[in-house]
Amino acid sequence: MGRVSGSMISPEELAGAVGAAADGSAARPVVLDVRWRLAGPPGREDHEARRVPGAVFVDLDTELSAGPAAPGPGGRHPLPRPAALQEVLRRAGIRDDDPAGLVVAYDDGDGSVAARAWWLLRWAGLDPARVRVLDGGFAAWRAARLPLAGSGPGAGAPEPLPAPPGDVVVRPGAMPVLDADGAAALARDGVLLDARAAARYRGETEPVDPRAGHVPGARNTPAAANAGPDGRWYSAAELAERFRAAGAGPGVATGAYCGSGVNACALVLALEQAGLTTPEAPAALYPGSWSEWSADPARPAATGDRPWAARE
């Protein structure tokens, strides 16, 4: 299985960047721990027990969104207010006067949650060359037997001194977004990708949102299929083959959605990794996603394997 570079970074590469910062030969990377699970336990507990040395915990529900919300306008994970996001990023130590300084996000899975941090950093105006997702997440870091900080068994590596507060200015709008009408139009006139598991796309189950099914015309490309069993991402060629089969390609207007606007960020990232979009012209994100769409009874829902199958 091939591996990707681009907006991904391997555990060994991140460890090298941390080491270079320690000896003063390079800028210190800012590492964001965004571990999160829909049904818990809280990611902060995992962070306190074991983490990449120097990592700062950032909470998906309260810091990478405007707070957990019920399905409806904006969805379950609405985009954070720019001022609130700026405060979070400054607390993490992200600076505008360090244009080469890496910012790396990791989760405890296949990068689908970390991709939300990647997307928000890009949306906030950071240079695409600075922003990375740790390939394989925290599991890959541990598998590589790299140092662990924290209070749990096997941890205890020394922590670097806390980074000084950052001065980054959030300038929202650098990544394209869709509202519900825009998602409907893209599903009709371009390619709208659904990042959820196939059973949710088909409407066989819906554990969270008001109705089952998918946006009529959307095509299912689960975010979990970006990576292999070890959580490491497939090569650009392998990713491109999957997305081309769904109709995506250079010059094709493409967007993505999921349940609440989180995992769809991994499709935006994967399309860029595959070379089907570029940092200058990325795929669009529908932040409200199915949690917003399904809460509006005026919006139709399709079911089954086909994009336009059986509609309410």
Side-chain angles (χ1 to χ4, degrees):
M1 177 172 58
R3 299 302 185 196
V4 293
S5 53
S7 288
M8 309 296 290
I9 188 170
S10 72
E12 294 79 10
E13 289 170 327
L14 176 56
V18 171
D23 66 23
S25 61
R28 173 179 167 181
V30 174
V31 182
L32 307 179
D33 181 342
V34 297
R35 282 177 282 179
W36 176 86
R37 299 181 186 89
L38 181 61
R44 189 177 295 277
E45 295 178 9
D46 293 337
H47 173 82
E48 295 295 336
R50 299 177 190 85
R51 59 185 173 271
V52 173
V56 176
F57 182 74
V58 180
D59 184 64
L60 171 67
D61 286 329
T62 61
E63 296 179 313
L64 298 182
S65 76
R76 284 185 283 109
H77 283 111
L79 296 184
R81 292 180 295 104
L85 180 62
Q86 179 171 287
E87 182 178 345
V88 170
L89 301 185
R90 288 184 174 186
R91 175 178 61 83
I94 300 174
R95 303 188 62 82
D96 268 342
D97 62 2
D98 184 15
L102 288 179
V103 184
V104 180
Y106 71 85
D107 56 32
D108 56 0
D110 57 14
S112 292
V113 175
R116 169 72 170 217
W118 170 88
W119 188 92
L120 282 170
L121 289 163
R122 293 272 299 269
W123 175 75
L126 266 70
D127 186 331
R130 295 183 63 185
V131 187
R132 298 284 187 273
V133 167
L134 181 62
D135 189 17
F138 190 64
W141 181 270
R142 295 192 65 182
R145 299 184 180 277
L146 292 165
L148 299 172
S151 59
E159 292 269 31
L161 293 174
D167 63 359
V168 67
V169 176
V170 168
R171 302 173 177 88
M175 296 289 273
V177 298
L178 300 167
D179 60 13
D181 287 340
L186 189 60
R188 182 184 64 247
D189 302 326
V191 172
L192 180 66
L193 301 176
D194 184 320
R196 296 173 301 159
R200 289 184 71 189
Y201 172 83
R202 293 192 296 262
E204 296 169 1
T205 182
E206 182 44 69
V208 185
D209 293 316
R211 288 184 291 157
H214 60 265
V215 174
R219 309 170 194 195
N220 190 215
T221 53
N226 290 337
D230 61 355
R232 302 292 291 270
W233 278 40
Y234 292 116
S235 70
E238 290 166 308
L239 292 170
E241 180 179 8
R242 183 165 74 100
F243 290 121
R244 286 184 188 277
V252 178
T254 304
Y257 78 98
C258 55
S260 68
V262 174
N263 289 344
C265 296
L267 295 189
V268 177
L269 171 56
L271 286 159
E272 193 171 298
Q273 290 290 122
L276 302 182
T277 62
T278 67
E280 296 73 28
L285 175 73
Y286 173 25
S289 283
W290 188 248
S291 58
E292 178 183 70
W293 183 282
S294 63
D296 183 351
R299 300 280 176 188
T303 57
D305 283 320
R306 298 180 180 178
W308 298 99
R311 287 192 277 176
E312 292 179 2

